Amino acid sequence: MSGYEAELVVERREPVADGVLALTLRHPLGERLPAWGPGAHVDLLLGPGLERQYSLCGDPADRTSWRIAVLREPAGRGGSAHVHERVGEGDKVRVRGPRNHFRLEPSPRYRFVAGGIGITPILPMLAAAETAGAEWTLLYGGRTRNSMAFTEELTRYGERVTFAPQDETGLLDLGSVLDGLPDGTLVYCCGPGPLLDAVRKRCPAGVLRFERFQAAAQPTGGDAEFEVVLVQSGRTLTVPVGVSVLDTVRAAGVEVLYSCTEGTCGTCETDVLEGTPDHRDSVLSDEERESGETMMICVSRCRGRRLVLDL
């Protein structure tokens, strides 16, 4: 996890689709920014209660600037509206990161599937796959062609990219790219929850890598209180029913990094030293969940009576 946090300047602000703004951020003194890889995101600290995560969608080799894209969501919680209405060229925004739970793993071939603003973490993955000489295709869907960001940028890849606006082609034809996958293929998907669920149903075990921008539905009921032992702090706390580990440790005065509080950003990831987490996040892979080595304390709980955490 990167501990970098700084005020960056909005060097460029440009519309890249209906309701989507791309921001190019630079350090005001021209300092180099931390390195990052495809799939990484940063936190924009827009104000009290307005911390939002956006995927980096520029060139990882460019250490002078970061590019993000922000979809305005009328039914959102205010972060995207703030960016669209109050952040202009020359303004400073506080940024933390980068962080990456959606890394591009080496593979001889890839199938990329993006829905809407889910194209943002996929963009640098395509360039990396191209550089590595991998065989790949992208299926990119959206409501309308005008709502789909970076289409002009993607045309340079020719027939490997299939654009599928829903008003022209209907729902994405997932079978055309996911059925009969050759051995060694990895599938990377980012987009709305229903798209991710549909892709998961079609993919063989172990081949899918995905990122959610919205939290997955969580189980309700059946929770029980449990104990958390905080090794670094020397504290033992009780986590009540209906209260998160995050809220419990913060109420006890233990400082921890957090952001989304929905299990989607990975900021609050904490090492588990003993006990079995009840994972309820939308970040960790199946393998990471099975290992039980870390958990997102904003949403995940305990499968038992006691967890020992590195806090």
Side-chain angles (χ1 to χ4, degrees):
M1 179 186 299
S2 171
Y4 182 82
E5 184 175 321
E7 281 196 336
L8 303 183
V9 175
V10 179
E11 180 186 63
R12 189 176 183 187
R13 178 185 189 273
E14 58 177 332
V16 289
D18 289 348
V20 181
L21 283 177
L23 303 182
T24 300
L25 309 172
R26 291 185 184 270
H27 193 280
L29 300 180
E31 295 180 6
R32 282 162 62 88
L33 300 175
W36 61 280
H41 70 259
V42 294
D43 304 332
L44 261 59
L45 313 182
L46 302 170
L50 280 181
E51 297 184 11
R52 300 293 184 266
Q53 295 74 46
Y54 298 103
S55 296
L56 292 169
C57 56
D59 179 4
D62 180 5
R63 298 285 298 278
T64 68
S65 68
W66 284 342
R67 183 178 69 168
I68 62 172
V70 181
L71 168 67
R72 178 159 191 164
E73 301 182 79
R77 297 175 294 155
S80 65
H82 180 100
V83 172
H84 277 251
E85 296 172 8
R86 302 180 60 181
V87 176
E89 291 184 355
D91 289 345
K92 291 183 178 180
V93 292
R94 193 150 197 87
V95 183
R96 182 173 61 213
R99 186 176 297 107
N100 199 340
H101 283 279
F102 193 40
R103 293 178 177 85
L104 185 68
E105 301 173 22
S107 177
R109 61 188 62 84
Y110 301 96
R111 298 292 178 264
F112 297 102
V113 181
I117 197 63
I119 190 61
T120 50
I122 300 295
L123 275 180
M125 292 185 179
L126 304 182
E130 184 82 350
T131 299
E135 184 269 310
W136 64 266
T137 63
L138 166 66
L139 177 61
Y140 178 21
R143 297 188 318 279
T144 66
R145 194 172 293 271
N146 288 340
S147 74
M148 298 166 62
F150 303 114
T151 52
E152 184 175 346
E153 188 172 317
L154 288 165
T155 57
R156 68 189 178 100
Y157 293 120
E159 294 182 355
R160 281 173 293 177
V161 176
T162 299
F163 298 104
Q166 187 172 351
D167 64 338
E168 298 177 22
T169 65
L171 296 177
L172 289 180
D173 182 7
L174 297 177
S176 66
V177 294
L178 299 180
D179 289 352
L181 291 173
D183 290 343
T185 303
L186 289 181
V187 176
Y188 277 78
C189 180
C190 188
L195 172 62
L196 297 181
D197 293 340
V199 170
R200 292 189 75 170
K201 290 178 181 178
R202 282 189 173 270
C203 284
V207 307
L208 176 61
R209 309 291 184 268
F210 66 92
E211 183 172 58
R212 291 183 183 270
F213 287 150
Q214 296 178 328
Q218 299 298 334
T220 57
D223 289 342
E225 74 174 28
F226 58 94
E227 187 177 80
V228 288
V229 179
L230 312 182
V231 172
Q232 292 186 36
S233 306
R235 305 283 300 275
T236 298
L237 307 173
T238 297
V239 181
V241 174
V243 180
S244 69
V245 177
L246 173 65
D247 288 343
T248 299
V249 299
R250 291 187 65 237
V254 178
E255 292 296 322
V256 292
L257 278 179
Y258 69 97
S259 184
C260 72
T261 70
E262 294 182 333
T264 60
C265 74
T267 304
C268 69
E269 184 174 11
T270 300
D271 288 340
V272 179
L273 305 180
E274 293 181 28
T276 304
D278 178 7
H279 295 291
R280 303 185 181 188
D281 65 275
S282 301
V283 176
L284 296 176
S285 67
D286 291 341
E287 292 79 9
E288 289 169 328
R289 290 176 177 230
E290 183 67 25
S291 76
E293 294 177 355
T294 68
M295 66 183 289
M296 305 303 158
I297 61 173
C298 65
V299 291
S300 297
R301 298 185 68 81
C302 177
R303 294 187 182 276
R305 301 298 300 274
R306 183 173 178 267
L307 286 173
V308 180
L309 304 179
D310 190 18
L311 288 175

